[in-house]
Each structure stands twice: as structure tokens, then as C-alpha cells.
Amino acid sequence: MEQFHGVGVTPGRVVGRVRQMPTPIREPEPGAGLSSGASVEEETARIRAASKSVQAALKGRAAATTGDAKGVLEATALMAADPMLVKGAIKLLDASADGGARSAERAVWESGAAVAEKLKSLGGYMAERSTDVLDVRARIVAELRGLPAPGIPESDEPFVLAGEDLAPADTATLDPTKVVALITSAGGPQSHTAILARALGLPAVVAAEGVDRIPEGMPVFVDGAAGTVLTDPGEAESEAAVAWARQAAALALFTGSNVLADGHELPLLANVATGKDAAKAAAAGAEGVGLLRTEFCFLDRDTEPSIEEQVAAYGAVFEHFPGKKVVIRTLDAGADKPLPFLTNAEEPNPALGVRGYRTEWTSPGVLGRQLEAIAAAASEHEAEVWVMAPMIATTDEAEHFTRLAREAGLRTAGVMVEVPSAALTASHILAHADFASLGTNDLTQYAMAADRMLGPLAHLNNPWQPAVLGLVKATCDGAAVATSATGTSKPVGVCGEAAADPALAVVLAGLGVTSLSMTPRSLAAVNAVLKTVTLAKAQELAALALGAPTAQTARDTVREHLPVLDDLGL
Ligand code: PEP
Ligand code: MG
């Protein structure tokens, strides 16, 4: 038995066999000529055979799949035998080709790049297919090298997916009926990969050094609450997994509204990115949307979406919440969510660069058009639309943004508080903004000067850190000052991942937060704990957490006072 310790990002106890994520395909050496000892004819035959075999594998997967995934796989299978790609590669084997002969691997690599470029230059739908060509190219090169296909491994049996880290795109294609848990040696608990794992409800442990070397097929026990992975589990672990499955079914439901034990209301909202997410959030009982991440609607775009496209994308969310609050955030491009039409890929320090609201300075007009689209979509639906800007750092920025929003006809305009300067000046910012929403993921990253994507910094990227709790309190205190100064209530929500931690949710309530927004999967667990505490008790626990010298003591102390967490396996 071997135990690995990491950071638990989604609770859940499961037993399963490990499948390792294949390492990404490396670019073949340029200028090395034909593969040694091979003739052009032999290399041609290898390319044709590899393309056929990749096509057959993709067709096989398409036949075994339904829905959207089937269509995607069928289209990708066609691409694997695309004449432009295959013939283009074969031409590059010849000594007369520009740059001389290449190996089969190199020829496929270059031909794939050329096809992808061509598609990109066509724009629109065709441009969006360029990443699919690059995926097919990697599959053919893997086949030529006799390596496993890149991407999530295929398996008939459910498995525990292990790896160094996953690209957000890989995580998005995870099939939760096949992947029962996710364990990575790198990655932070607030990385977008972790966020997506949480959204899928997958028990997950990140930053667990060594799990990417667990042998293929090894049975493991994953405890997503404790953040541990154990190889060769025994009877006790299997029983814990069965008990969890029973518990999870009981915790799957949240209906009505969230009130504390004394009747204090604390609405639970959902974080969403698309209409599909919104439908799921509504079905999970969310009382509204606390964060619509609009950049996620356009991650695959390299040109600015038209106003019509934007109206359709936002309307697809609004329609699921008639009469309910939907907080839509303007594009938060940059850092790990680059949008080529807004951000500069060459920035040396993108998390500290031109991201979020700041793109208004380098690409003026995009924000104004987005606000126009939001207002148009809002006018077509009955949702109560609130708008907010990400990465606000100063009062001037808050004043400028809220003015733009109101000029566009949006009545309720607020800001994200995710930069420490905004937390510390909340009373001034909220003199202009109608509300604040704490983005605890970035607030933690910036307070602790710790890149949220980095596994080795996971212990710093912890919203229980005393400095982060202090900044949350500063924001709530600032809102109280602004409320009495303006005579208008200034609500402060939380839409970072901290809201989805049931113990921390109690602390946030005690600090004065007025709503919590999270992935719909976490609503029931957070509600199950919050309804057992009064506001006075939450305030008492918040004071204990604030007074603790370390993140660990804050968490341990609060958990000790909330035995309900253990009873529920949270
Ligand atoms: C946050 O920073 O907490 C947040 C909600 O924004 P994002 O995770 O999209 O950066
Ligand atoms: Mg953020």
C-alpha cells in the first residue's frame, strides 16, 4: 500500500483502477530527412495506414456514442483521412519538396499545421475546426510512433484518471460515467481544471505528487475530501466507497430556498457558462445565477463575437431563470483564459497583465459592445439581470464601468472583488457600484502572490488563509460603510470556489456575505450544512477563523465545531 497526499477539490470516496493520461505528443524533429532506412514508398504506406487506423478508431468510438459527442467523433474521423492532410503529408516526403524530404511523422506534423492555418484564415466555423485538425494530426503521429492516442484514455470499464495535469479542454470532454475520480500531481485547487472537475461532481485530488507514476491498472482508493490516494485498497476502503455512494444520493437534492437555522436568508446561486449549464443549474434548485462567465462562451474564437451571437449566448442562460437574478460578468480574458482578439499571448506575466476589465484600455469598444448585447438580451427575457466587471482594482475603474453599464441601459452594475486593492477600498468602490462579488480564487492568488495554476503553491492558494479571510471581512465592512453613506443596501456575494466548501460557506455567512454562488453540484451539500447553523453561530465561527494564525488551524477549528460535516461525509 502506498499513500499520496494532495489537495482535495471535490469530496467523494471511490475505488477504481488507474488509467494514466498519455503524455502529449512531442513535435517531431525538423530537417531530419526520411526515417532512417525507409524509402518514400514505405513512408507513404505508413502514413496511409496510420490515417486509416486513426479513422477506424474514431469511427468505432462514434458508433458507441450518442448525442453531440457522436457528431463530433464522426466529423473528426472524416478529418483523419482528409486528402488535404494525407496527400499534403505524402508530398512532403519527396526530396524535391521545399526544405527537402521529411520523415512520415514530420510530414504529417507540417501538413496538419498547414491545413489548420488554411482553416483559420477562412474564419468562422471553418476556423473553429483548426484545433480538430491538430488533434487528428497528434493522433496520426502517435499511431506512427506506436504510442497511445493523446487525450482522455478510452476504456469500457469506469476508471480513475491520473496524470500530471489536464488541459481544461480534456477535462471538458471527460465522461463522468467512465471517469470516477480525477487525480493529478500538479495543478492547484482553484485552477480551471479543478473548477470543471467540481462542476462534473467528480471526486478529485490535485497536487498529489507521484500519482502520475502509479502503474496503469493499479486499484486505488481516492478520498476527495481528505485529499488522499491509496493504492491497493482493502475491505475498509471499499466499504467507505459504498457508504459514500449511498450518502451522495441523499445529498443530491436542493429545493426551495436556503435559510439558516434561525430563518436568515442566504440565497444559493450557480456559476454557469452556457445555456446547458443554466438548465442544469435550474434543475439543481439554484435560486439564480451568481456568475455567468461570458469568456467561456467564446474561448474557441479568435475574432470578437458579433452582438447577435452574444445576445443569443446570454439569452440562452437568461431564459432558464425568469424572475430570478442572473449576474453576468463581462469578458474575463487573459491569464489562463486567453482570447486572441483581446489578449496578448506574449505577455511575460499574464496573471498580472492586461486581463479582465483592463482589456478596455487596449481594445476599446469591445466592452461597450458587450454591454449593448447584454442589455439587448436582458430586454428579451424576464431574468433580473445584474452585470459586473472582473479584475477591478480602483475606484476610478468601478466608476467608469458602472457608468458604461448604466449608459447601456443596465440598471444594476457591480464589480468583482478579486484584487486585494478592491477589497481594501470597498467602501469607495461601492459608492459607485451597486454590489460586489468576491472572486476568492483570484483574491487568494493575488493576496498570497501564488499562481493559482501551480501545484507546488497549492498550500498558499487556500482561501482559508488568514489574509484572505481578512480581505473578505474588509469587503463586507466596506459595504456596510457604503450602505449607510448612500442609504442603499450594497450586497456582497461570493462566486469563487470558496463558496462551495460547506465549512467555509458558514464562515463567509458569518463575515457578512449575502449570497453564495457555486457549481450546481455543490448546492445541496452547502445547504445541508448551512441550514444547521444560526447566523449568530456562523458569526462566532467566523471570529474563530479570523483569529486563527494559519489556514490549517482556521479550517480545523471551524470543522471541529461543525460535526455535521463528518456525519455527512463532507
Ligand atoms: C474568482 O477569481 O474567484 C472567480 C470567480 O473568477 P474566475 O475563477 O473565473 O477567475
Ligand atoms: Mg477571477
Side-chain angles (χ1 to χ4, degrees):
M1 261 193 198
E2 197 180 354
Q3 187 156 26
F4 300 86
H5 295 269
V7 181
V9 292
T10 328
R13 297 178 183 135
V14 293
V15 169
R17 288 184 187 278
V18 160
R19 296 291 314 266
Q20 289 287 351
M21 191 74 191
T23 37
I25 297 300
R26 269 180 306 102
E27 176 175 351
E29 280 292 303
L34 287 170
S35 307
S36 80
S39 65
V40 171
E41 290 68 31
E42 283 162 347
E43 292 284 77
T44 303
R46 284 180 67 221
I47 291 177
R48 288 199 190 283
S51 122
K52 279 216 179 94
S53 137
V54 168
Q55 184 176 44
L58 289 167
K59 271 190 181 160
R61 279 179 61 199
T65 316
T66 52
D68 290 353
K70 189 183 185 72
V72 171
L73 286 167
E74 280 170 351
T76 319
L78 276 181
M79 219 171 253
D82 178 69
M84 243 206 319
L85 174 68
V86 176
K87 286 192 183 149
I90 292 169
K91 268 197 200 141
L92 291 173
L93 298 171
D94 200 280
S96 66
D98 195 15
R102 282 102 166 143
S103 65
E105 287 86 341
R106 181 72 202 175
V108 169
W109 192 266
E110 287 186 26
S111 173
V115 176
E117 269 315 304
K118 191 161 255 161
L119 289 175
K120 260 193 189 167
S121 69
L122 296 173
Y125 172 83
M126 296 311 273
E128 286 165 31
R129 301 281 71 78
S130 64
T131 42
D132 302 350
V133 172
L134 297 179
D135 174 49
V136 160
R137 166 181 88 164
R139 287 172 185 279
I140 300 178
V141 172
E143 179 73 20
L144 285 165
R145 288 182 177 158
L147 295 173
I152 309 283
E154 288 131 39
S155 169
D156 295 334
E157 300 272 303
F159 60 96
V160 172
L161 181 62
E164 190 189 329
D165 199 4
L166 300 187
D170 287 329
T171 323
T173 60
L174 278 182
D175 174 357
T177 61
K178 285 284 160 58
V179 178
V180 293
L182 178 62
I183 54 178
T184 64
S185 59
Q190 314 202 66
S191 65
H192 285 281
T193 300
I195 294 172
L196 284 165
R198 221 175 262 129
L200 290 170
L202 270 185
V205 178
V206 299
E209 210 191 312
V211 296
D212 53 337
R213 294 191 296 273
I214 297 176
E216 245 343 81
M218 165 75 80
V220 292
F221 171 65
V222 179
D223 185 333
T228 52
V229 178
L230 188 74
T231 60
D232 272 330
E235 197 64 9
E237 286 77 26
S238 301
E239 278 169 16
V242 171
W244 163 261
R246 228 180 289 124
Q247 187 71 266
L251 264 185
L253 226 66
F254 166 57
T255 49
S257 51
N258 183 60
V259 281
L260 305 193
D262 55 359
H264 176 80
E265 287 180 12
L266 187 72
L268 297 187
L269 313 168
N271 292 353
V272 305
T274 61
K276 257 193 201 163
D277 292 352
K280 279 192 205 147
E287 297 175 66
V289 169
L291 171 62
L292 164 51
R293 288 184 164 100
T294 56
E295 67 281 1
F296 272 72
C297 305
F298 305 113
L299 276 186
D300 55 352
R301 294 290 304 258
D302 45 18
T303 53
E304 182 187 346
S306 68
I307 294 207
E308 293 70 34
E309 282 173 277
Q310 295 190 54
V311 171
Y314 310 149
V317 172
F318 298 164
E319 70 179 355
H320 295 285
F321 290 94
K324 304 256 177 74
K325 177 163 98 177
V326 176
V327 184
I328 178 167
R329 179 174 74 183
T330 54
L331 292 168
D332 184 22
D336 57 330
K337 294 175 291 188
L339 290 180
F341 60 93
L342 276 177
T343 52
N344 168 10
E346 305 303 314
E347 271 185 351
N349 229 337
L352 299 180
V354 181
R355 62 166 292 203
Y357 163 80
R358 300 169 180 188
T359 58
E360 164 72 353
W361 307 328
T362 47
S363 309
V366 177
L367 177 61
R369 287 187 287 278
Q370 183 176 24
L371 291 170
E372 192 184 326
I374 294 170
S379 72
E380 289 172 9
H381 296 275
E382 282 156 38
E384 187 195 326
V385 176
W386 293 18
V387 65
M388 65 180 177
M391 290 294 292
I392 291 294
T394 68
T395 303
D396 285 344
E397 293 168 15
E399 197 267 325
H400 178 245
F401 173 76
T402 49
R403 185 160 40 79
L404 279 188
R406 292 191 186 110
E407 279 168 12
L410 290 155
R411 249 183 306 131
T412 312
V415 298
M416 294 274 298
V417 171
E418 46 188 352
V419 180
S421 62
L424 296 172
T425 55
S427 63
H428 301 301
I429 285 180
L430 284 163
H432 302 281
D434 297 316
F435 68 95
S437 182
L438 282 151
T440 47
N441 309 337
D442 278 315
L443 190 60
T444 308
Q445 132 162 296
Y446 296 128
M448 304 307 296
D451 187 334
R452 66 195 256 193
M453 306 302 292
L454 292 183
L457 305 184
H459 62 292
L460 294 176
N461 254 309
N462 180 342
W464 286 94
Q465 286 286 354
V468 180
L469 298 180
L471 289 167
V472 172
K473 178 162 189 318
T475 310
C476 294
D477 290 350
V481 171
T483 298
S484 35
T486 59
T488 318
S489 139
K490 302 284 180 173
V492 178
V494 173
C495 63
E497 294 300 291
D501 172 341
L504 194 45
V506 172
V507 171
L508 296 170
L511 289 173
V513 155
T514 53
S515 64
L516 297 170
S517 189
M518 64 203 74
T519 177
R521 293 265 185 184
S522 301
L523 292 166
V526 170
N527 167 249
V529 175
L530 282 174
K531 70 183 180 194
T532 68
V533 297
T534 59
L535 183 60
K537 166 99 179 188
Q539 285 165 341
E540 203 182 293
L541 295 183
L544 285 177
L546 265 181
T550 68
Q552 193 62 44
T553 35
R555 183 174 186 268
D556 291 349
T557 311
V558 170
R559 290 187 69 93
E560 255 168 45
H561 285 79
L562 289 172
V564 62
L565 292 167
D566 263 349
D567 297 347
L568 295 173
L570 295 169

